[in-house]
Amino acid sequence: MNRQSFNEILLRAYRQGLPLQSNVSREFDQEVAALASLGLITTKEAPHTYGRIWRITEEGLGLLREEGYL
């Protein structure tokens, strides 16, 4: 796990979403778990509603901006 892979996964979640059962989610399962634990990605779509796609949170967007990806 490194900072670049975290940022690339966040950027992908921002641009197109990251399906829960995609090859990328499986290949980078530890990174996805860490990003979710840190509150940088979520599957929450609305109060009490969760989907099947990882999406970036406001905190994740802030991190991408700080890192110069946006």
Side-chain angles (χ1 to χ4, degrees), residues 9 12 16-32 54:
I9 293 168
R12 185 169 182 151
Q16 61 195 34
L18 190 62
L20 288 176
Q21 297 181 351
S22 69
N23 289 336
V24 174
S25 292
R26 289 184 176 122
E27 183 179 347
F28 296 100
D29 58 342
Q30 291 183 349
E31 288 86 349
V32 169
W54 290 110

Side-chain angles (χ1 to χ4, degrees), residues 20 42-55:
L20 288 176
T42 186
T43 59
K44 191 171 187 174
E45 295 178 350
H48 309 291
T49 305
Y50 296 87
R52 296 180 183 201
I53 297 179
W54 290 110
R55 301 194 188 280

